């Protein structure tokens, strides 16, 4: 009896106390310049993530500008030598999981329950400025190889808005790679684990049993080291036809598009995140994970959406500047506090031109929304810079409202018109121009808006505005607002080829007839082939020859030529991501919240237009060398949805590696 009382009462109590102490000292901490910048609360990457980033940083860097060696944990001449010393064991769990990363110069005012890892910097002095780890790059930038400027750590701590992290004096270097290296060993399973040899007695963990229930299986345990299991690097560099160009003729660069979820929007729409524990929604934790993700990949160009203005200026921009980026920010108009940002590495690009876009136009009733964009013209920097065409990078976050495809199309037309301005600038200087269009387009793959971007044209006549983005099915509604020419007033100055019109064109465009809601025989004939008429209602009885009629493409062309009603742009763009995951053929998604999951973020890049035989065309286009895979909705729910400990936003980042080829001699006239 006494034994069972002890068993039922004392055992759970001791388990509870044990768990508490685990929680207390579970997370590894990271110290920067003596301050705790990483409390272990966010995502910790696992071995494959580290492997991926190593692969990323070491592979395919054919150009001279890029840092050739970020692989400090692999390189024998790496910046850091890591030796973890166990100093305390308090509950028998994996020692490394509790290890605090502190530096050897550190004084003793650290948390006594934590273990320490000693990092010894070696050989940096003999390397070139950029051949060491990221931390060393930062040091070098400050002309001091031993002591890092405190501002990076301050930014990690959010000191601009008041830091609450404890101070730990004397730690000169924040080293992300060291953090990752540590986390490699942090993934010890929690559950039955039997020693396999002598000297491993401390690896025999007690079983995790939910008392009094007994399971044959170890209970599910949160692991914060599985990020890597999910997102893999898809390498296309081998499979690309003609990709084997001389390395000296190519400029490889990486570009990321990432909607980081503005904290104000998160707080304004709590219903979208009911599945999330509070701690993954806290901005400080999300910021750390976002910055860490950027540090892991160090894309040459970063296109961000939903960047809250204060967070950007006080916290993100200073860190990114320290990392070697130049940042451009455009806040949304009106009372919205977030906007878009583009950051590029100054060692890889120089800026030729920039345009900040506001889609709200007081003179145009249609364009009454506060969305914005950024269009940049960047010149790649490398030994053969003169032979490399500039790259136009555009970043935008289109209107969310699923019903207002008309607004989305007009916003998109402005982006294309501004890209066209950049292209014309290049052309007038005798240069080609490649284009990368990034952003959150709030439109699904194969939706009319997506098709418009990908194919260069959209026959829109009669298309219900809710259909444009494919976000929701509003076919049950009685009344549908539809698209008719003109899509926007000519006062906007943008043609249906998405180019700015010259003044004479603007004047002439007023004479085009408007077919809007005229039920003439002719207009009814046109409607026969409008996209909406081609969507078969689910309950429509199939009568051969009557209700199975599909439009003849030639008829469509004829109508389109005769009546217009087609929107064009002149770029040849391909989406870096496909709508299904190549391995599982399940839909890939880029965003998920309580309302559902979808792909709405894209990176489009200019390609060689298929079928074009022109010499100039065939010389151009970017090649995709690889991309970071997206996930399926099921994958993300198995991680408890978004945001989670590993992925800090309700969107995933998109990351691709592109190759820009040097121009043929005839094209390579200097600006
Ligand atoms: O879908 V988004 O999230 O690209 O991740 O873009 C918008 C939405 C962003 C900027 O307007 O805010 C989110 N329901 C769901 N999401 C909304 C809503 C809404 N009613 N309003 C704004 N957003």
């Amino acid at each position: 009896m006494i034994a069972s009382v002890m068993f039922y009462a004392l055992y759970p109590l001791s388990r509870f106390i044990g768990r508490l102490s685990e929680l207390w000292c579970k997370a590894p901490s990271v110290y920067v310049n003596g301050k705790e910048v990483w409390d272990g609360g966010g995502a910790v990457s696992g071995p494959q993530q580290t492997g991926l980033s190593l692969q990323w940083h070491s592979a395919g860097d054919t150009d001279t500008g890029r840092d050739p060696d970020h692989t400090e944990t692999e390189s024998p001449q790496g910046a850091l030598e890591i030796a973890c010393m166990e100093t305390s064991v308090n509950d028998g769990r994996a020692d490394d999981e509790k290890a605090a990363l502190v530096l050897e110069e550190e004084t003793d005012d650290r948390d006594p329950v934590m273990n320490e890892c000693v990092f010894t910097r070696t050989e940096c002095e003999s390397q070139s400025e950029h051949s060491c780890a990221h931390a060393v790059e930062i040091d070098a930038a400050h002309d001091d190889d031993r002591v890092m400027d405190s501002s990076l750590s301050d930014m990690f701590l959010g000191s601009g808005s008041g830091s609450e992290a404890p101070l730990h004096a004397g730690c000169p270097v924040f080293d992300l790679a060291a953090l990752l290296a540590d986390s490699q060993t942090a993934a010890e399973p929690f559950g039955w684990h039997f020693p396999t040899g002598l000297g491993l007695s401390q690896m025999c963990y007690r079983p995790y049993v939910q008392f009094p229930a007994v399971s044959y299986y170890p209970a599910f345990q949160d692991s914060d080291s599985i990020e890597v299991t999910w997102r893999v690097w898809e390498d296309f560099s081998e499979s690309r036809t003609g990709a084997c160009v001389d390395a000296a003729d190519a400029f490889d660069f990486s570009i990321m598009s990432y909607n980081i979820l503005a904290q104000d929007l998160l707080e304004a729409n709590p219903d979208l995140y009911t599945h999330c524990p509070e701690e993954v929604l806290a901005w400080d934790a999300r910021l750390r994970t976002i910055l860490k993700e950027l540090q892991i990949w160090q894309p040459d160009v970063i296109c961000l959406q939903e960047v809250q203005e204060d967070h950007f200026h006080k916290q993100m921009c200073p860190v990114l500047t320290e990392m070697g980026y130049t940042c451009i920010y455009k806040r949304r108009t009106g009372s919205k506090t977030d906007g878009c940002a583009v950051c590029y590495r100054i060692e890889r690009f120089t800026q030729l031109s920039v345009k900040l876009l506001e889609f709200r136009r007081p003179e145009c009733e249609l364009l009454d929304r506060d969305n914005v964009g950024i269009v940049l013209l960047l010149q790649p920097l490398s030994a053969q810079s003169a032979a490399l065409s500039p790259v136009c990078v555009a970043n935008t976050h289109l209107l969310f409202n699923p019903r207002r495809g008309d607004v989305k199309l007009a916003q998109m037309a402005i982006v294309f018109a501004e890209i066209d301005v950049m292209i014309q600038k290049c052309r007038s200087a005798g240069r080609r121009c490649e284009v990368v269009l990034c952003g959150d387009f709030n439109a699904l793959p194969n939706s009319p808006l997506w098709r418009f971007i990908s194919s260069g044209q959209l026959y829109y006549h009669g298309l219900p505005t809710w259909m444009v983005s494919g976000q929701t099915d509003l076919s049950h509604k009685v009344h549908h607002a539809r698209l008719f020419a003109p899509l926007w007033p000519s006062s906007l100055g943008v043609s249906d080829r998405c180019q700015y019109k010259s003044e004479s064109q603007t004047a002439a465009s007023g004479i085009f007839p408007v077919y809007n809601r005229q039920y003439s025989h002719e207009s009814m004939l046109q409607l026969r082939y409008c996209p909406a008429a081609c969507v078969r209602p689910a309950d429509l009885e199939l009568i051969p020859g009557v209700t199975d009629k599909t439009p003849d493409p030639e008829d469509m062309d004829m109508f389109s030529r005769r009546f217009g009603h087609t929107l064009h742009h002149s770029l040849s763009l391909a989406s870096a991501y496909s709508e299904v995951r190549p391995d599982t053929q399940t839909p890939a998604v880029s965003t998920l919240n309580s309302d559902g999951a979808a792909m709405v973020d894209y990176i489009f890049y200019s390609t060689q237009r298929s079928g074009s035989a022109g010499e100039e065309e065939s010389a151009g286009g970017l090649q995709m060398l690889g991309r970071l895979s997206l996930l399926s909705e099921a994958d993300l729910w198995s991680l408890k949805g978004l945001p989670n400990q590993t992925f800090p936003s309700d969107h995933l980042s998109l990351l691709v590696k592109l190759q820009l080829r040097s121009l043929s001699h005839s094209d390579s006239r200097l600006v």
Side-chain angles (χ1 to χ4, degrees):
M1 176 64 191
I2 291 170
S4 69
V5 166
M6 300 260 294
F7 188 63
Y8 278 91
L10 296 183
Y11 180 72
L13 189 63
S14 69
R15 289 269 305 131
F16 177 69
I17 292 168
R19 297 283 290 161
L20 266 186
S21 71
E22 280 164 25
L23 280 175
W24 185 256
C25 54
K26 176 184 164 196
S29 300
V30 173
Y31 297 93
V32 172
N33 207 28
K35 296 177 185 179
E36 187 182 6
V37 298
W38 177 262
D39 63 9
V44 177
S45 300
Q48 292 174 32
Q49 175 78 43
T50 309
L52 270 176
S53 70
L54 293 178
Q55 178 191 340
W56 166 260
H57 288 305
S58 58
D61 282 331
T62 53
D63 55 281
T64 52
R66 192 179 173 82
D67 178 353
D69 182 8
H70 293 262
T71 59
E72 68 279 9
T73 54
E74 254 184 12
S75 163
Q77 292 185 310
L80 300 168
E81 196 175 83
I82 301 170
C84 287
M85 300 195 318
E86 181 195 330
T87 54
S88 73
V89 178
N90 77 335
D91 65 353
R93 286 194 59 190
D95 303 324
D96 295 322
E97 205 167 332
K98 295 177 290 163
L101 307 184
V102 290
L103 298 165
E104 66 180 340
E105 295 93 336
E106 193 186 0
T107 55
D108 272 330
D109 62 345
R110 59 184 170 267
D111 188 336
V113 299
M114 292 180 171
N115 301 342
E116 71 174 356
C117 291
V118 178
F119 289 70
T120 314
R121 176 106 47 86
T122 58
E123 311 223 16
C124 284
E125 292 77 9
S126 65
Q127 308 261 325
S128 70
E129 251 193 22
H130 293 290
S131 62
C132 290
H134 170 69
V136 183
E137 284 176 49
I138 292 168
D139 285 354
H142 289 265
D143 286 335
D144 181 347
D145 213 20
R146 303 298 294 176
V147 183
M148 193 187 95
D149 190 284
S150 64
S151 47
L152 175 70
S153 54
D154 288 345
M155 288 315 142
F156 262 88
L157 287 163
S159 64
S161 54
S163 162
E164 66 289 76
L167 280 175
H168 289 256
C171 295
V173 177
F174 166 68
D175 192 297
L176 182 76
L179 166 63
L180 297 174
D182 175 72
S183 66
Q184 286 193 31
T185 54
E188 290 292 344
F190 182 62
W192 288 109
H193 188 113
F194 296 100
T196 53
L198 287 174
L200 295 172
S201 55
Q202 69 270 38
M203 289 180 67
C204 183
Y205 308 119
R206 62 180 150 55
Y208 177 69
V209 179
Q210 292 249 292
F211 190 83
V214 176
S215 165
Y216 288 106
Y217 302 98
F220 174 77
Q221 182 71 20
D222 272 342
S223 166
D224 48 12
S225 55
I226 46 178
E227 171 179 356
V228 276
T229 322
W230 303 101
R231 302 197 69 183
V232 296
W233 183 253
E234 297 171 345
D235 189 358
F236 299 109
S237 55
E238 298 291 307
S239 60
R240 288 285 139 189
T241 50
C244 45
V245 287
D246 187 351
D249 285 340
F251 179 85
D252 298 352
F253 65 100
S254 53
I255 182 161
M256 175 183 271
S257 180
Y258 199 1
N259 178 325
I260 59 170
L261 175 57
Q263 195 65 16
D264 281 349
L265 287 174
L266 182 155
E267 285 164 18
N269 299 294
D271 292 355
L272 299 177
Y273 310 103
T274 49
H275 56 282
C276 298
E278 241 168 62
E279 58 272 17
V280 306
L281 299 178
W283 170 244
D284 281 355
R286 294 204 303 115
L287 171 69
R288 273 190 221 115
T289 316
I290 290 165
L291 289 176
K292 200 175 130 208
E293 196 168 340
L294 299 180
Q295 283 208 323
I296 287 173
W297 299 110
Q298 299 190 35
D300 296 316
V301 184
I302 306 171
C303 294
L304 300 172
Q305 304 88 35
E306 285 198 31
V307 188
Q308 200 166 303
E309 191 177 36
D310 52 343
H311 293 158
F312 182 75
H313 287 123
K314 286 187 195 148
Q315 297 175 311
M316 300 189 71
C317 186
V319 175
L320 287 162
T321 306
E322 291 253 16
M323 286 167 64
Y325 289 92
T326 290
C327 296
I328 292 136
Y329 180 79
K330 176 64 194 155
R331 185 186 142 158
R332 285 206 280 164
T333 49
S335 56
K336 309 293 189 308
T337 55
D338 67 298
C340 293
V342 180
C343 308
Y344 61 91
R345 284 164 64 98
I346 39 177
E347 68 179 31
R348 312 271 3 251
F349 291 100
T350 183
Q351 185 179 312
L352 298 177
S353 187
V354 62
K355 181 78 188 268
L356 306 180
L357 312 183
E358 291 182 1
F359 300 141
R360 176 181 279 279
R361 303 293 163 99
E363 75 280 4
C364 176
E365 206 184 315
L366 177 73
L367 286 160
D368 62 349
R369 303 304 162 107
D370 291 313
N371 307 80
V372 294
I374 297 173
V375 181
L376 264 182
L377 193 59
L378 296 175
Q379 176 62 47
L381 290 178
S382 81
Q384 76 281 18
S385 283
L388 292 169
S389 11
V391 178
C392 176
V393 173
N395 177 28
T396 190
H397 184 186
L398 298 187
L399 178 69
F400 166 75
N401 191 333
R403 291 184 308 270
R404 298 305 301 274
D406 49 344
V407 180
K408 292 176 203 243
L409 279 176
Q411 293 182 341
M412 203 56 238
I414 293 176
V415 175
F416 279 125
E418 293 292 348
I419 292 174
D420 184 65
V421 170
M422 296 292 184
I423 293 173
Q424 297 307 331
K425 270 187 192 162
C426 293
R427 204 164 278 172
S428 62
R431 312 287 308 260
R432 283 186 52 85
C433 178
E434 301 303 341
V435 177
V436 186
L437 169 60
C438 296
D440 176 346
F441 296 82
N442 274 313
L444 269 45
N446 292 309
S447 62
L449 176 58
W450 184 94
R451 280 171 192 267
F452 168 55
I453 298 171
S454 315
S455 73
Q457 59 178 349
L458 172 69
Y459 179 70
Y460 59 80
H461 189 79
L463 184 70
T465 56
W466 62 263
M467 255 189 212
V468 169
S469 66
Q471 289 158 292
T472 38
D473 181 358
L474 298 176
S475 53
H476 56 276
K477 298 254 171 186
V478 179
H479 172 74
H480 298 281
R482 293 176 188 274
L483 297 175
F484 294 102
L487 286 179
W488 48 79
S490 63
S491 59
L492 185 62
V494 176
S495 72
D496 58 5
R497 306 200 74 83
C498 294
Q499 292 172 320
Y500 283 117
K501 293 187 271 193
S502 62
E503 266 174 32
S504 56
Q505 284 174 311
T506 313
S509 64
I511 61 169
F512 284 131
V514 176
Y515 292 100
N516 197 354
R517 296 183 192 86
Q518 288 177 6
Y519 298 100
S520 64
H521 180 65
E522 201 168 68
S523 67
M524 294 307 282
L525 271 179
Q526 292 165 47
L527 283 173
R528 190 168 48 139
Y529 296 117
C530 80
C534 301
V535 177
R536 161 176 289 276
D539 53 353
L540 180 66
E541 192 186 344
L542 193 131
I543 307 167
V546 181
T547 59
D548 64 346
K549 182 124 178 74
T550 49
D552 182 341
E554 270 185 29
D555 280 354
M556 292 278 283
D557 264 7
M558 194 264 288
F559 275 98
S560 145
R561 272 198 304 274
R562 183 159 170 208
F563 299 108
H565 312 310
T566 306
L567 196 55
H568 297 268
H569 69 77
S570 53
L571 305 175
S572 172
L573 295 174
S575 172
Y577 284 86
S578 41
E579 78 225 72
V580 291
R581 284 165 38 100
D583 48 352
T584 58
Q585 296 300 308
T586 47
V589 302
S590 68
T591 180
L592 177 147
N593 57 40
S594 305
D595 269 359
M599 185 191 280
V600 295
D601 305 272
Y602 304 96
I603 296 177
F604 295 99
Y605 61 97
S606 52
T607 57
Q608 212 171 299
R609 196 181 285 280
S610 56
S612 72
E615 197 183 309
E616 199 201 348
E617 285 291 344
S618 62
L622 296 164
Q623 296 278 333
M624 182 167 65
L625 300 181
R627 68 182 177 212
L628 188 59
S629 71
L630 283 175
L631 300 177
S632 69
E633 182 175 359
D635 291 338
L636 288 172
W637 279 122
S638 72
L639 283 163
K640 300 182 183 166
L642 287 177
N644 58 47
Q645 293 255 308
T646 308
F647 301 115
S649 168
D650 60 348
H651 291 246
L652 294 177
S653 58
L654 272 56
L655 177 67
V656 299
K657 195 165 197 169
L658 299 169
Q659 184 168 73
L660 174 68
R661 308 277 175 81
S662 295
L663 302 171
S664 61
H665 295 299
S666 60
D667 275 337
S668 59
R669 275 172 291 160
L670 289 171
V671 181

